[in-house]
Amino acid sequence: GEDVEQSLFLSVREGDSSVINCTYTDSSSTYLYWYKQEPGAGLQLLTYIFSNMDMKQDQRLTVLLNKKDKHLSLRIADTQTGDSAIYFCAESIRPGTASKLTFGTGTRLQVTL
Amino acid sequence: GAVVSQHPSRVICKSGTSVKIECRSLDFQATTMFWYRQFPKKSLMLMATSNEGSKATYEQGVEKDKFLINHASLTLSTLTVTSAHPEDSSFYICSAPPGTSGRFTDTQYFGPGTRLTVL
């Protein structure tokens, strides 16, 4: 069955880099996503990566994928207080429209001054 | 960008009553919408897939008679929690894919969620 795991909590100082990790078990996962959830709000898609990619960078965000170990990470450079939120990784086996997403347990990022 | 709204944002009800939650796609049509449930400090769990013009598809373990889904139009899906009990208290989130092209970037847009508290 599908299982996506994350550490529950991460605290970093403003200006430092944050690294949020995710492991998954479904080897047929083809598309991997990172979502951000601010308090009391829905989910916002931050970035995504295909399983045939190792890395993707988008401004302050860098996604690393180790398909062999089924490990995904999200690095946020120069972390700001506005980055404080819960971050979910998610995976699906096909793209877009009607794809079923399996979410990780979520990592709460706390940014301190 | 695509916007999905939910109403109400928060509802408190007595045990045994039914509660209806609406999910609307505001600037696009959605033949499919998804309903998720999120427990405190837990992940989102897919409850069901709402299909316009046909019956919803429920995930294993989700009682379809308990959680009634109606996809009334291409912009509206409703989730009714029937005979609610305290264990139904949760954060319910809907999502809708904005397109039918099947492109990877046609990912799901999420509503802001509805917090249900059953006393």
Side-chain angles (χ1 to χ4, degrees), chain A residues 48-111:
Chain A
Y48 58 90
I49 190 169
F50 295 101
S51 62
N52 62 357
M53 297 167 64
D54 298 324
M55 186 190 84
K56 179 180 179 181
Q57 186 162 2
D58 183 2
Q59 298 182 340
R60 292 192 297 125
L61 305 178
T62 302
V63 179
L64 295 178
L65 175 61
N66 182 328
K67 192 175 181 182
K68 174 176 173 290
D69 294 338
K70 300 187 182 67
H71 182 265
L72 181 74
S73 68
L74 173 70
R75 178 177 182 269
I76 305 173
D78 187 25
T79 311
Q80 302 297 308
T81 55
D83 295 323
S84 294
I86 300 176
Y87 290 82
F88 291 94
C89 63
E91 57 92 18
S92 69
I93 60 173
R94 56 193 172 108
T97 57
S99 65
K100 173 184 172 181
L101 292 174
T102 300
F103 285 88
T105 47
T107 299
R108 181 178 296 275
L109 174 64
Q110 180 184 63
V111 182

Side-chain angles (χ1 to χ4, degrees), chain B residues 47-61:
Chain B
M47 298 174 65
T49 303
S50 175
N51 304 298
E52 192 271 336
S54 64
K55 292 182 180 179
T57 306
Y58 289 83
E59 294 299 301
Q60 191 173 8

Side-chain angles (χ1 to χ4, degrees), chain B residues 34-89:
Chain B
F34 300 93
W35 285 98
Y36 294 85
R37 181 174 178 177
Q38 185 179 27
F39 293 96
K41 299 182 180 179
K42 296 287 186 181
S43 182
L44 280 75
M45 294 183 60
L46 180 64
M47 298 174 65
T49 303
S50 175
N51 304 298
E52 192 271 336
S54 64
K55 292 182 180 179
T57 306
Y58 289 83
E59 294 299 301
Q60 191 173 8
V62 178
E63 300 175 61
K64 59 182 178 182
D65 295 331
K66 171 81 173 170
F67 299 99
L68 299 178
I69 291 173
N70 181 27
H71 202 130
S73 73
L74 288 171
T75 58
L76 173 64
S77 174
T78 60
L79 168 68
T80 301
V81 183
T82 63
S83 187
H85 287 92
E87 57 265 30
D88 298 324
S89 298

